[in-house]
Amino acid sequence: MTSGPAFSEEDRRALLALRRDLHRFPELSWQETRTQQALERALAAFGVHDIRRIAETGLVATIPGRTPGAPVIALRGDIDALPITEATGLEFASEHPGIMHACGHDVHASWAVGAARLLALDPAAGEVRVILQPAEEVGAGASAVLASGALDGVAAIFGAHVDRRFAVGEVVAQAGPLAASTDTFSIVLHGAGAHGARPQEAIDPVVGAAELVLALQTIVSRRLDPALPGVVTVGVLRAGNASNVIPERAELGGTIRATTPEARVLLTSELERMAHAVAATHRLRAEVAISDGTPPVVNSVAGAAWAAQAVRELLGEQALVPLGTTNMGGEDFAFYLERMSGCFLRIGAREAGGERIAAHSPRFYPAEEALFIGASVLARCARVASGAP
Ligand SMILES: [Zn+2]
Ligand SMILES: [Zn+2]
């Protein structure tokens, strides 16, 4: 078992204070300026001095390795909050009205800073770049980090999310899909309006829209491999505004979720094909727009193996637990995993006897003990991956 420093009492206090400060003053995506400054100060106080601002409100802190030529590893903590009014009753609850760290990114940012501390005290074989990433909640921060060049030359990247489905001390580090892609679609059906009493004079987009909503449900049930999870949800359906008028157009909008790149292509292309086919059946014209969201999060085999080894070394084999059901939510860490090896972990954050409160709930909070576990696990991931052949 490789050793490595653990947090001193003083470091634990400092990390806890950082996390509570970030929690108390949450900032929305692309507005994380106070957060950026607080993180810069915390890193400097922890002896990390090579810090650069990237991606508007993000940071990269570089910790040199001890072995020239060893693989460069990145660790990522996201830092933004959500437009939610906090209802946790915590003593360090949000003081920014209507904004809350309801996804635990205050903890993720603190993990990254904590990991930087451990690696500064005892460097890994390779250089480690600690990324503090803005704007995860709007799915845009990871792309900005990639565009900044901060990850050029990086061999593998690790990141993690707090999760109250798992108890403190449990960690998910497995290969394959972990979260879904998050594309959105909008379909406009163009018809011809007329009096509601004379449908023969109209090209009715309402009937076409109704049929299309049902037809779209067959993409997942009839076209997707039943062993793969997928979602096509119509969340918007708009047409007409008078009971005796057939309107000119109908609009549908929704979200498409898939867990592999192949399934993602299948779902979006079938949606497009079906919209045109159903429209043609009703003499309508379909205008389809699909906007790409985040890709599915797919952990590489090597990345997951390194992460699992890190967890085993730190916490023991019993800490590794299976994900269970795939999360059909999205996570922009997926953009990194499209470009390089790596692993996104779930870190248990439910205290003994606690409830399974979902992230994005105004009552969400991660158990604070998860703070030290996540930071230690991420630092260890960097050690294992940069020392790996
Ligand atoms: Zn979130
Ligand atoms: Zn999150």
Side-chain angles (χ1 to χ4, degrees):
M1 190 178 282
T2 52
S3 63
F7 289 113
S8 67
E9 268 314 308
E10 198 184 338
D11 286 354
R12 286 171 74 97
R13 271 196 300 277
L15 208 54
L16 202 60
L18 170 66
R19 186 262 159 159
R20 290 182 172 204
D21 176 72
L22 296 177
H23 192 88
R24 193 188 290 268
F25 302 105
E27 292 172 309
L28 294 175
S29 306
W30 297 129
Q31 295 170 27
E32 308 94 332
T33 49
R34 183 193 181 279
T35 303
Q36 186 185 42
Q37 288 162 20
L39 292 168
E40 276 170 337
R41 276 197 305 274
L43 283 164
F46 270 166
V48 178
H49 299 297
D50 182 351
I51 308 167
R52 272 194 308 126
R53 293 187 173 191
I54 54 162
E56 313 263 341
T57 43
L59 297 173
V60 55
T62 302
I63 298 131
R66 59 169 91 236
T67 312
V72 179
I73 305 301
L75 302 176
R76 175 272 216 167
D78 43 4
I79 67 173
D80 55 329
L82 285 159
I84 291 175
T85 298
E86 181 157 353
T88 59
L90 291 171
E91 60 181 278
F92 50 92
S94 170
E95 290 185 18
H96 287 169
I99 304 177
M100 175 190 177
H101 269 297
C103 205
H105 298 186
D106 49 337
V107 172
H108 304 171
S110 306
W111 282 344
V113 172
R117 169 62 164 172
L118 296 177
L119 292 162
L121 289 172
D122 179 17
E127 174 182 305
V128 179
R129 298 196 204 143
V130 175
I131 305 288
L132 289 149
Q133 183 211 299
E136 191 286 322
E137 293 291 358
V138 296
S143 305
V145 168
L146 283 165
S148 77
L151 292 175
D152 291 358
V154 167
I157 186 164
F158 298 89
H161 209 291
V162 287
D163 196 328
R164 287 187 61 95
R165 288 176 299 171
F166 303 101
V168 167
E170 292 180 331
V171 179
V172 178
Q174 65 186 44
L178 200 84
S181 56
T182 60
D183 301 320
T184 55
F185 66 89
S186 120
I187 302 169
V188 182
L189 295 175
H190 297 277
H195 195 294
R198 290 191 293 277
Q200 77 280 13
E201 293 171 4
I203 301 175
D204 187 349
V206 175
V207 172
E211 189 172 319
L212 183 53
V213 171
L214 296 178
L216 293 178
Q217 303 315 305
T218 66
I219 299 174
V220 170
S221 69
R222 304 289 84 188
R223 296 289 292 118
L224 183 66
D225 180 342
L228 289 175
V231 178
V232 175
T233 287
V234 178
V236 176
L237 180 57
R238 259 192 302 259
N241 45 32
S243 55
N244 60 350
V245 175
I246 294 170
E248 290 277 325
R249 52 189 264 155
E251 291 171 33
L252 290 81
T255 185
I256 308 168
R257 308 287 168 121
T259 58
T260 67
E262 297 75 21
R264 185 186 189 197
V265 169
L266 176 83
L267 296 189
T268 49
S269 62
E270 278 297 287
L271 179 129
E272 201 157 357
R273 189 187 64 76
M274 214 170 258
H276 292 296
V278 171
T281 306
H282 295 272
R283 296 182 300 135
L284 298 158
R285 184 172 61 83
E287 198 185 319
V288 184
I290 291 168
S291 62
D292 286 352
T294 52
V297 175
V298 185
N299 288 333
S300 71
V301 171
W306 288 322
Q309 186 186 332
V311 172
R312 242 178 248 120
E313 286 177 3
L314 262 179
L315 305 169
E317 181 73 40
Q318 81 294 340
L320 285 168
V321 295
L323 175 66
T325 326
T326 310
N327 168 23
M328 296 308 283
E331 161 64 61
D332 78 355
F333 196 83
F335 286 112
Y336 302 129
L337 293 177
E338 277 192 331
R339 297 268 286 268
M340 61 197 82
S341 187
C343 187
F344 193 67
L345 302 88
R346 312 291 302 188
I347 305 277
R350 189 182 75 242
E351 67 283 356
E355 299 173 65
R356 298 182 166 212
I357 307 165
H360 292 209
S361 157
R363 294 172 48 247
F364 180 78
Y365 69 94
E368 271 187 332
E369 197 51 33
L371 187 54
F372 309 109
I373 293 174
S376 308
V377 165
L378 286 175
R380 185 63 65 111
C381 285
R383 284 185 211 291
V384 171
S386 78

